[in-house]
Amino acid sequence: MASVLLTATISTITFGDQCSISRCAFPSLSTLHLRATQKGIHVEMNKRVVVVKAMTTKSDFDDTDVDISLSHRVNAVKPSKTVAISDHATALLQSGVPVIRLAAGDPDFDTPAVIAEAGMNAIREGYTRYTPNAGTLELRQAICHKLKEENEITYTPDEIVVSNGAKQSVVQAVLAVCSPGDEVIIPAPFYTSYPEMARLADATPVILPSHISNNFLLDPKLLEANLTERSRLLILCSPCNPAGSVYSKKLLEEIAQIVAKHPRLLVLSDEIYEHIIYAPATHTSFASLPGMWDRTLTVNGFSKTFAMTGWRLGYIAGTKHFVAACGKIQSQFTSGASSIFQKAGVAALGLGYAGGEAVSTMVKAFRERRDFLVESFREMDGVKISEPQGAFYLFIDFSSYYGREVEGFGIIENSDSLCRYLLDKGLVALVPGECIWR
Ligand code: PMP
């Protein structure tokens, strides 16, 4: 740790191969790049190095006896850009800069009262002890019931592992089934963490591009052409973060036929946005397709559907063999999810089919916002956009703006600099498409 004084105060800097900053009161931090080396901190602003020497404590860099090298695993992964931008935007907001945060997929609705009440009751009633590693039987039974009723997939409670969010469920599955040298097939654009999760497992992410003219859906022929004996896991996300594409049953059936030809290949179906979907689009669970049940790991969670991002609750469903392997990893990482949140999860699933009215009210609002934004962006010159059929993101092509010079900022070179520009000048925090595209 070291403190650096610039024109504003950066209170914490953590050193590694890259450095991260927290609680910074510097409004245009996004134009500021910091690079930490053994010799000190190099600070670059708008491409000019303005400070090459910064205050550090001796023990941080000089003559240290501590081996500060990090594991090959952590060096192989990139930090989540979405998380970094969101945290930065939150820090700016807390320091009085009125940033509009549109980076993380965090619904602005309150968790429905019945769910919140169930969580509070759990605390009041002293339901505050460890739960079984895989989750309470009560919640796993409720999940099985939901999967049967809403998704037409049959599971027993020992085929479910509840975790601290869908993100944990995905990474545990990747770690449980992938070995060094395996390939993880990821259609682009993708949820930012998938490739890094593959790297964490020493596997290789294989990114399959898509095209706006095809609503960013995976082309089955491209999939077929890229499968080899090293292909271990295909990650599907429908409705998709970030493009909002929804895979039709027919397209999923085509994909299933290809998957069936590759005995080593498993499918992780991330269905966290299943209920945030805009009719006439409908959701199909990959595991419900003929022959796919025993090779599919279905991931879902409570964050998006029930506006419960901060509660941290998700789950995986699959055959006992694979799900137990995920549970084994969880037993050494975190153990069972929070007892309180699991009670809230039972209440959430008790709201009825697709979350009942509480959820349909939120989906209606998301739809209105989508319609307004898609229409507005379509009116802008040079902007290309495909209409999302689900989730609550827009994946917009602004490339016709690249190369333009903006007064007081410089050249908009790519999505990264566009996002920096929009944060600095428009006070809107967005995620650059670059990092979720290749
Ligand atoms: N999968 C996708 C596609 C997501 O967008 C997210 C959250 N942005 C997650 C998983 C993680 O969700 P959770 O909050 O349940 O960890």
Side-chain angles (χ1 to χ4, degrees):
M1 299 287 199
S3 289
V4 180
L5 205 64
L6 298 174
T7 45
T9 306
I10 297 169
S11 61
T12 316
I13 297 189
T14 322
F15 291 99
D17 272 356
Q18 284 150 333
C19 66
S20 66
I21 301 155
S22 64
R23 265 178 285 134
C24 172
F26 195 86
S28 47
L29 179 67
S30 51
T31 60
L32 186 77
H33 299 282
L34 291 155
R35 191 160 48 85
T37 67
Q38 294 281 43
K39 295 209 171 73
I41 304 167
H42 301 248
V43 181
E44 186 188 300
M45 207 190 293
N46 285 342
K47 300 226 148 175
R48 266 180 330 116
V49 175
V50 291
V51 181
V52 181
K53 214 161 153 255
M55 283 191 329
T56 63
T57 54
K58 191 172 171 14
S59 62
D60 280 323
F61 298 109
D62 300 336
D63 306 325
T64 176
D65 289 337
V66 179
D67 176 356
I68 60 161
S69 61
L70 298 171
S71 71
H72 85 277
R73 186 157 278 121
V74 83
N75 285 333
V77 300
K78 290 186 237 138
S80 165
K81 206 153 197 166
T82 314
V83 170
I85 294 168
S86 305
D87 287 356
H88 174 46
T90 303
L92 287 178
L93 200 62
Q94 281 167 356
S95 66
V97 184
V99 172
I100 297 168
R101 289 172 299 168
L102 296 180
D106 200 354
D108 56 342
F109 295 102
D110 290 333
T111 301
V114 185
I115 304 175
E117 201 57 45
M120 288 188 281
N121 281 341
I123 300 173
R124 281 191 207 104
E125 289 161 14
Y127 192 75
T128 52
R129 303 199 187 282
Y130 286 134
T131 70
N133 179 56
T136 63
L137 185 60
E138 184 189 25
L139 179 55
R140 283 180 292 137
Q141 279 170 338
I143 291 169
C144 291
H145 179 75
K146 170 251 175 308
L147 289 169
K148 178 107 193 86
E149 293 297 306
E150 296 180 357
N151 308 86
E152 296 171 26
I153 355 178
T154 308
Y155 291 105
T156 51
D158 54 1
E159 292 166 330
I160 310 288
V161 169
V162 175
S163 64
N164 304 279
K167 196 171 195 172
Q168 184 181 357
S169 296
V170 178
V171 75
Q172 288 178 173
V174 175
L175 289 171
V177 304
C178 292
S179 300
D182 281 346
E183 291 179 349
V184 178
I185 317 295
I186 304 168
F190 45 79
Y191 172 45
T192 173
S193 295
Y194 296 151
E196 307 314 316
M197 289 171 172
R199 290 188 181 103
L200 275 176
D202 286 332
T204 308
V206 175
I207 309 296
L208 300 184
S210 65
H211 201 266
I212 192 167
S213 61
N214 190 28
N215 289 328
F216 297 109
L217 290 162
L218 171 63
D219 175 357
K221 288 196 201 76
L222 187 69
L223 172 66
E224 188 150 34
N226 278 278
L227 292 179
T228 69
E229 66 287 352
R230 287 188 302 278
S231 312
R232 180 60 174 146
L233 191 64
L234 164 66
I235 303 188
L236 293 175
C237 179
S238 176
C240 163
N241 170 6
S245 338
V246 173
Y247 284 65
S248 67
K249 188 169 184 186
K250 189 168 162 292
L251 179 55
L252 289 176
E253 281 167 350
E254 273 180 65
I255 292 172
Q257 278 170 15
I258 295 164
V259 170
K261 291 187 215 157
H262 292 263
R264 270 204 86 220
L265 186 63
L266 304 172
V267 176
L268 188 145
S269 182
D270 185 340
E271 305 186 3
I272 196 162
Y273 295 100
E274 64 170 335
H275 292 311
I276 302 173
I277 195 160
Y278 311 119
T282 53
H283 175 71
T284 302
S285 284
F286 196 76
S288 71
L289 301 178
M292 291 298 114
W293 184 86
D294 52 2
R295 359 161 128 232
T296 305
L297 294 156
T298 304
V299 169
N300 210 323
F302 295 77
S303 290
K304 316 293 176 174
T305 300
F306 301 104
M308 289 175 72
T309 48
W311 293 75
R312 312 309 301 127
L313 197 63
Y315 57 91
I316 193 160
T319 64
K320 214 188 282 183
H321 173 72
F322 290 126
V323 160
C326 298
K328 185 170 158 187
I329 292 176
Q330 178 161 307
S331 74
Q332 298 297 3
F333 264 169
T334 58
S335 305
S338 152
S339 54
I340 297 148
F341 304 167
Q342 290 187 64
K343 277 285 182 198
V346 171
L349 295 178
L351 286 174
Y353 194 88
E357 209 187 315
V359 172
S360 64
T361 307
M362 293 190 266
V363 175
K364 189 166 170 279
F366 290 137
R367 186 184 188 122
E368 282 165 13
R369 295 173 193 180
R370 176 204 66 167
D371 291 347
F372 171 76
L373 286 167
V374 169
E375 207 182 308
S376 308
F377 280 114
R378 281 199 172 139
E379 283 167 12
M380 276 178 78
D381 273 350
V383 171
K384 286 192 225 146
I385 185 168
S386 79
E387 184 178 73
Q389 303 304 304
F392 39 52
Y393 305 95
L394 294 176
F395 190 63
I396 308 169
D397 181 349
F398 285 108
S399 56
S400 69
Y401 286 76
Y402 300 167
R404 290 196 202 177
E405 181 147 13
V406 186
E407 214 188 311
F409 179 80
I411 295 178
I412 308 272
E413 282 158 355
N414 46 30
S415 63
D416 221 68
S417 58
L418 178 66
C419 287
R420 274 191 274 126
Y421 167 70
L422 290 171
L423 184 55
D424 283 357
K425 305 291 173 198
L427 298 182
V428 179
L430 302 167
V431 178
E434 223 79 44
C435 64
I436 46 181
W437 184 234
R438 1 171 174 256

